[in-house]
Amino acid sequence: MKVSGLRLRGILDSRARVTVEVDLTLGSGHQGTGSAPRAIAPGRLERSRGPEPVLGTFSAPALQAALTGSAVADQADYDGRLAGLYQAGEAGADVTLAASLAFARAAAAACGVPLYAYFAGLAGSIPAVPALMVNVFSGGIHLPPPARGFQQVMVLPATGGLRSDIEVAGAVFSAAERLAAQRFPAVGLSASSGLVVPAGSEEQLGLANDAAAAAGHASVCTFGVDVAAEHLAQTPGRYRFGTGELSCQDFAGVLARLAASYGLSYLEDPFDPAEASAWRGLRAVLPRSTRIVGDDLFATDESRIDQSLADGVLLKLSQAGTVTATLAAAAAARAAGMVLAVSHRSGETEDTAMCDLAVAVGAELIKVGGPRRGDRLAKYNQLLRLDESLHSAPSRPT
Ligand code: PGA
Ligand code: ZN
């Protein structure tokens, strides 16, 4: 294989900030496009973005020279070159991810397989459709100051099928919108299409519970929270919560009480990554049914993954910077017996590769934001298509 053409352009993400899109052409004529999401709240352990690109086409001669022309063995080979450019400071993680995804799409086209099957071939995994975590309320530093509430409160419908889960989540979201409109003078929508209201963490959870009941779906819903605690830790070991500040131990007690009272089946980033002992101790005080998942903790880095800290790993392509590095993190998590959850970023594009990735590795969970606006709906719709592909295997001749 040879990459014969590479074009970079700046496009808008869901916050109308500029991010990178790459078009790539193989010598065979097969083409692929990929783009990188950006984040409001990147963790301090994750790879850095490059300088903000400009809108429209831009040229990066050094990149183009390094990434085109010579023979490429496979995805790992190309991603290795991208990682080298990142290490050398010549490309940010946004450029490397956009190029890596563009290469993957072109290579999948050259092999004549859909993207999810191409990823599954690289990973050696069995595809499966993940369960949804649907953002209902956004808070924390995803809001303008003063930050209030958890960064994300999500509903996890479990009806036994993707289509009915999407329907239930849509009904709960709409009910939450109505309840919020009755209680607050204005209801906004965050960059990840979660509802924005001036509510504290427990009030967000209460509203989400009430919404599930009002929609008539309480019996098939549990809830999930992204605490994003790294952004709540003012001083080491102390977490801003409500109007006060709590020690690690007291914060663990609050999270355990909320998990039990509000049926939390998912808890992401309950502590700062530096507080390993707090992470290790949380399991003992949480209900068994609450999965503890690390996002900023592991930063989708295979070398950080440690099953003594959490039950699961959040996979973000843009944290890893390439397809190969993301699959390596997924493999490390599986080798450690951990659950996989694939995640969007707050500043998303219409790119749906994260859905193909989640299905390819058979992730247990996926979060793509609230069911509003095109960048999010593109992902729900791609999951519907992938679900259909997996369930429409050709019937055996009789
Ligand atoms: P971020 O958060 O994209 O702002 O880092 C998104 C998430 O963790 O769901
Ligand atoms: Zn997170």
Side-chain angles (χ1 to χ4, degrees):
M1 256 184 309
K2 197 172 88 174
V3 175
S4 59
L6 187 85
R7 180 189 285 264
L8 297 105
R9 74 176 64 82
I11 60 167
L12 295 179
D13 72 7
S14 55
R15 296 179 297 149
R17 297 271 188 89
V18 184
T19 186
V20 182
E21 182 170 81
V22 169
D23 289 343
L24 181 147
T25 309
L26 294 176
S28 60
H30 293 98
Q31 293 185 322
T33 297
S35 61
R38 283 194 167 225
I40 293 175
R44 67 175 183 272
L45 300 179
E46 75 175 271
R47 282 162 185 267
S48 59
R49 326 277 103 196
E52 206 150 297
V54 290
L55 259 193
T57 311
F58 61 94
S59 82
L63 277 181
Q64 262 129 352
L67 294 174
T68 57
S70 51
V72 182
D74 53 18
Q75 184 81 40
D77 182 16
Y78 198 66
D79 286 349
R81 292 178 204 196
L82 290 166
L85 289 171
Y86 177 84
Q87 301 299 352
E90 282 171 31
D94 44 6
V95 169
T96 64
L97 176 60
S100 179
L101 290 175
F103 181 88
R105 286 201 169 95
C111 301
V113 296
L115 189 60
Y116 85 86
Y118 173 77
F119 284 154
L122 296 177
S125 49
I126 298 169
V129 176
L132 298 178
M133 302 191 280
V134 178
N135 196 178
V136 178
F137 290 106
S138 290
I141 63 165
H142 279 200
L143 307 194
R148 294 188 71 172
F150 285 128
Q151 183 165 299
Q152 284 177 354
V153 169
M154 294 169 280
V155 63
L156 284 75
T159 65
L162 178 72
R163 262 167 46 176
S164 44
D165 279 354
I166 290 179
E167 280 165 13
V168 163
V172 172
F173 190 96
S174 296
E177 213 168 22
R178 280 193 299 276
L179 291 178
Q182 286 162 15
R183 192 173 302 180
F184 304 103
V187 181
L189 207 54
S190 73
S192 29
S193 288
L195 300 171
V196 171
V197 290
S201 305
E202 191 154 4
E203 196 178 3
Q204 289 173 323
L205 285 171
L207 275 165
N209 256 267
D210 291 350
H217 295 306
S219 64
V220 290
C221 291
T222 58
F223 298 91
V225 163
D226 181 2
V227 180
E230 174 180 325
H231 303 292
L232 303 179
Q234 308 285 68
T235 42
R238 297 196 70 79
Y239 296 90
R240 184 163 34 79
F241 189 74
T243 48
E245 226 184 63
L246 297 175
S247 68
C248 248
Q249 211 182 355
D250 291 344
F251 196 46
V254 167
L255 294 174
R257 178 179 67 75
L258 295 177
S261 315
Y262 294 95
L264 299 188
S265 56
Y266 178 90
L267 192 60
E268 179 181 324
D269 280 352
F271 300 107
D272 186 277
E275 310 282 350
S277 60
W279 281 87
R280 289 199 179 95
L282 188 60
R283 181 72 281 152
V285 298
L286 276 190
R288 197 64 239 165
S289 54
T290 312
R291 278 168 167 162
I292 307 167
V293 171
D295 168 13
D296 294 336
L297 174 69
F298 299 127
T300 318
D301 179 344
E302 66 169 319
S303 69
R304 292 187 193 279
I305 289 167
D306 176 350
Q307 58 82 34
S308 75
L309 298 174
D311 304 315
V313 175
L314 201 75
L315 293 177
K316 286 175 166 168
L317 282 153
S318 63
Q319 284 177 339
T322 61
V323 168
T324 302
T326 309
L327 294 178
R334 286 305 193 209
M338 299 171 80
V339 163
L340 295 176
V342 171
S343 173
H344 65 146
R345 303 311 304 255
S346 35
E348 271 295 333
T349 70
E350 308 96 319
D351 199 308
T352 55
M354 60 167 287
C355 303
D356 291 73
L357 178 97
V359 167
V361 299
E364 283 78 5
L365 296 162
I366 188 168
K367 56 173 181 171
V368 305
R372 292 288 185 278
R373 299 198 296 224
D375 54 306
R376 311 289 153 181
L377 299 186
K379 292 168 180 66
Y380 287 107
N381 293 341
Q382 179 67 358
L383 287 170
L384 285 166
R385 291 182 203 105
L386 293 171
D387 187 53
E388 185 183 297
S389 302
L390 290 198
H391 292 109
S392 62
S395 51
R396 262 187 249 138
T398 48

